[in-house]
């Protein structure tokens, strides 16, 4: 990995984005941020979606920092500034079978209190995760690859 101070990590659900972000943050002493926490306002009784203006208000101060690691599956227009400002973009290309395994592992670890997550693990959320993962290769991945085209000079595709 190069000496970039502004790193954006993108990939599917359970591709290893958070794990890589934590690892790089620890190694480099750079704070990391999860786009899920920009997208969602967390409440004990359930999450609610932030408006685009609220997301921009949360994201702008982060992007103004000298160094950051931002990770997320999101690829909507509200986060394009992350790609523009990043010195390095890491696309995690993790096989479907590994993502399926990680989805179930995360569910068990968080549901039974072995690990803490950002949201409450439910069977409904588990089904959603598997649904997103099932359609990722054909639907989401091609869109992400198109969005990353203008940034090819700073994109690393990491197979996992």
């Amino acid at each position: 990995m190069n000496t970039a101070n502004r790193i954006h990590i993108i990939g599917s659900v359970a591709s290893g984005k958070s794990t890589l972000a934590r690892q790089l943050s620890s190694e480099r002493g750079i704070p990391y941020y999860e786009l899920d926490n920009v997208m969602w306002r967390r409440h004990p009784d359930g999450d609610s979606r932030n408006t685009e203006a609220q997301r921009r208000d949360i994201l702008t101060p982060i992007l103004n920092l000298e160094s950051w690691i931002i990770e997320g599956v999101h690829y909507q227009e509200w986060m394009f500034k992350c790609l523009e400002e990043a010195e390095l973009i890491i696309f995690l290309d993790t096989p479907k079978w590994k993502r399926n395994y990680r989805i179930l592992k995360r569910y068990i670890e968080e549901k039974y209190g072995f690990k803490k997550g950002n949201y409450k693990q439910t069977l409904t959320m588990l089904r959603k995760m598997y649904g997103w993962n099932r359609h990722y290769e054909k639907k989401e991945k091609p869109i992400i690859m198109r969005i990353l085209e203008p940034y090819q000079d700073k994109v690393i595709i990491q197979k996992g």
Side-chain angles (χ1 to χ4, degrees):
M1 227 58 51
N2 67 23
T3 59
N5 287 319
R6 292 175 162 202
I7 302 169
H8 186 86
I9 303 169
I10 190 167
S12 70
V13 167
S15 62
K17 299 177 304 295
S18 297
T19 300
L20 180 59
R22 280 191 300 274
Q23 176 188 344
L24 290 175
S25 175
S26 176
E27 289 172 4
R28 296 175 181 219
I30 298 174
Y32 79 93
Y33 304 90
E34 301 173 30
L35 286 179
D36 276 352
N37 293 330
V38 175
M39 175 65 112
W40 300 101
R41 194 168 334 115
R42 306 294 186 183
H43 300 286
D45 55 337
D47 298 342
S48 60
R49 188 182 300 262
N50 282 319
T51 65
E52 193 158 331
Q54 289 168 320
R55 284 178 253 155
R56 196 172 32 256
D57 289 345
I58 296 167
L59 195 54
T60 299
I62 296 169
L63 293 175
N64 288 334
L65 296 172
E66 190 173 309
S67 58
W68 43 257
I69 299 167
I70 295 174
E71 64 88 357
V73 68
H74 305 282
Y75 56 85
Q76 297 80 14
E77 194 172 328
W78 64 268
M79 59 66 61
F80 286 179
K81 192 87 171 132
C82 297
L83 301 175
E84 293 167 18
E85 298 291 329
E87 297 167 358
L88 173 65
I89 300 168
I90 303 170
F91 174 71
L92 294 181
D93 194 12
T94 308
K96 185 177 182 178
W97 69 266
K98 191 177 279 189
R99 296 189 317 259
N100 278 330
Y101 167 77
R102 288 175 176 171
I103 289 168
L104 182 59
K105 182 178 178 228
R106 178 189 301 164
Y107 174 81
I108 291 168
E109 288 176 341
E110 293 177 11
K111 179 77 174 171
Y112 297 101
F114 301 114
K115 262 184 158 175
K116 181 164 175 15
N118 285 333
Y119 53 89
K120 184 178 178 187
Q121 291 291 346
T122 63
L123 285 175
T124 300
M125 183 54 84
L126 180 64
R127 278 193 294 275
K128 282 182 182 181
M129 292 279 182
Y130 278 121
W132 293 328
N133 197 38
R134 183 174 44 256
H135 300 292
Y136 175 76
E137 299 298 325
K138 287 190 171 129
K139 184 179 174 197
E140 314 295 331
K141 184 177 175 181
I143 294 169
I144 292 170
M145 296 309 287
R146 271 195 309 279
I147 289 168
L148 294 180
E149 280 177 13
Y151 309 104
Q152 286 306 304
D153 59 325
K154 57 184 178 180
V155 171
I156 292 175
I157 298 175
Q158 187 171 317
K159 301 276 184 189

